[in-house]
Amino acid sequence: MTDITDYGTMLEDYKNRTRSSSVNPGNPYYNYFQYLPFRSRTSYSGTELNSLISGKAGSSSKLSGTGDCFAENQNTYGVNALIMVGIAANESGWGTSSICMNKNNLFGLNAVDSSPGTSAGTYASAEECIRQFADGWMSRGYLNPGDWRYKGGFLGNKAGGVNVSYASDPYWGEKAANLLWRLDQNGGGRDANVYTIGIKGTLSTDHISVNVRSGSSESSDILYRTGSHSGYAVLVQDPAPDNSYYRIQSDAVLKSGRSAVNTGTGKYDYDQMYAYITTKYVTIVHQGGPISV
């Protein structure tokens, strides 16, 4: 993200596919939570998430008491629980929208702009909606490199990430990230800047699709490709390169032995599902700690 002080100038830069008018054209800033891959984990327990939610939502909210459910689905399907809470809060007005109250639909799922109240899906409970969001919509959908909606597994914007296909609002990713930042600050700031984040395509004109491999060499199997969208974020497990490759958290669910992508399930193993991407195309934008495997 670049800093422009005038909206008219910003729009002209967008139209011309440049950021030359910004005050930081050569050093774009990437909002941590907006670019934090979903395949990360929050440090907050289900009980702690309940406390954070209750500080923002009333007892009548459909989000009330769902912290344990978010945490359980994170651990099963590999979708960061705090990110899911932020999306739900943004979509449902902290669990109080009519779609949420009448249909247990926390995420505005299938609520098309022309008829959101009518088209939105109905769920047996808020908990079932959370499960289906983590499993079908995210792990086997937006985070699956073989899915047409995949543009990177992070909130993002209209350049890259879930926002490209998930929402018509170009600032949807920023809004959800802002809620995440405030939630985390209320919890003591335990999640901010914990992970190392790398960006493929820091220039808006960079549309190279990069191989994500099973090992740290060109001879290793290609698991999937990043796609050509710029501003594509990866969670770097170890910022120290191995043979000019970063070990990253895989967006895709992988088969046993990390031999290929597993499209038959949304269940995710954080410890076993890692991959490698060449350092040639990745710039570290947030420096966190290494992750052991």
Side-chain angles (χ1 to χ4, degrees):
M1 182 166 60
T2 48
D3 190 0
I4 298 177
T5 57
D6 178 82
Y7 279 113
T9 302
M10 179 181 72
L11 289 173
E12 285 303 311
D13 263 16
Y14 280 172
K15 291 177 183 177
N16 295 321
R17 302 178 67 82
T18 181
R19 54 170 177 251
S20 59
S21 300
S22 67
V23 299
N24 57 331
N27 185 31
Y29 169 73
Y30 292 89
N31 183 330
Y32 180 78
F33 285 111
Q34 192 175 347
Y35 288 88
L36 175 66
F38 282 57
R39 296 305 196 184
S40 53
R41 285 182 276 198
T42 181
S43 65
Y44 299 104
S45 67
T47 300
E48 290 170 327
L49 288 173
N50 278 331
S51 179
L52 292 177
I53 291 168
S54 67
K56 294 290 186 180
S59 59
S60 62
S61 163
K62 289 285 185 174
L63 274 172
S64 180
T66 57
D68 288 321
C69 183
F70 278 110
E72 289 166 5
N73 281 284
Q74 168 190 267
N75 296 336
T76 301
Y77 299 111
V79 184
N80 186 302
L82 190 69
I83 294 177
M84 288 195 286
V85 171
I87 293 173
N90 184 41
E91 289 287 346
S92 69
W94 287 103
T96 63
S97 70
S98 59
I99 291 173
C100 183
M101 298 300 289
N102 297 327
K103 297 189 170 187
N104 292 315
N105 191 333
L106 296 171
F107 303 96
L109 302 174
N110 282 327
V112 299
D113 291 346
S114 59
S115 58
T118 302
S119 62
T122 300
Y123 297 86
S125 65
E127 289 75 14
E128 177 59 14
C129 182
I130 294 167
R131 188 196 69 78
Q132 290 195 33
F133 179 78
D135 178 14
W137 286 83
M138 289 295 130
S139 192
R140 290 187 289 125
Y142 285 88
L143 307 185
N144 172 15
D147 190 283
W148 67 269
R149 295 164 291 186
Y150 180 76
K151 308 296 188 300
F154 53 100
L155 288 170
N157 52 28
K158 288 305 178 186
V162 170
N163 194 173
V164 174
S165 302
Y166 189 86
S168 57
D169 180 0
Y171 300 107
W172 175 85
E174 291 177 89
K175 291 174 182 176
N178 179 52
L179 288 172
L180 290 172
W181 176 263
R182 287 189 285 163
L183 276 172
D184 184 45
Q185 290 301 297
N186 290 342
R190 285 165 31 190
D191 276 10
N193 303 312
V194 167
Y195 289 102
T196 296
I197 299 175
I199 297 293
K200 187 278 298 181
T202 56
L203 297 177
S204 61
T205 54
D206 183 352
H207 298 294
I208 298 172
S209 186
V210 179
N211 296 325
V212 177
R213 298 180 179 274
S214 61
S216 56
S217 71
E218 287 189 7
S219 62
S220 57
D221 293 334
I222 298 172
L223 296 172
Y224 60 91
R225 293 173 65 82
T226 63
S228 61
H229 282 69
S230 61
Y232 175 100
V234 293
L235 192 161
V236 178
Q237 290 191 346
D238 189 347
D242 177 8
N243 194 30
S244 297
Y245 280 79
Y246 288 128
R247 190 180 74 233
I248 64 173
Q249 196 75 50
S250 172
D251 277 346
V253 175
L254 301 179
K255 292 182 178 180
S256 177
R258 300 185 304 103
S259 58
V261 173
N262 187 349
T263 59
T265 180
K267 292 185 177 180
Y268 190 88
D269 186 333
Y270 282 101
D271 296 329
Q272 297 301 317
M273 296 181 183
Y274 58 92
Y276 293 85
I277 190 169
T278 176
T279 59
K280 179 179 178 180
Y281 298 107
V282 177
T283 301
I284 300 295
V285 298
H286 284 284
Q287 185 77 57
I291 300 172
S292 300
V293 295

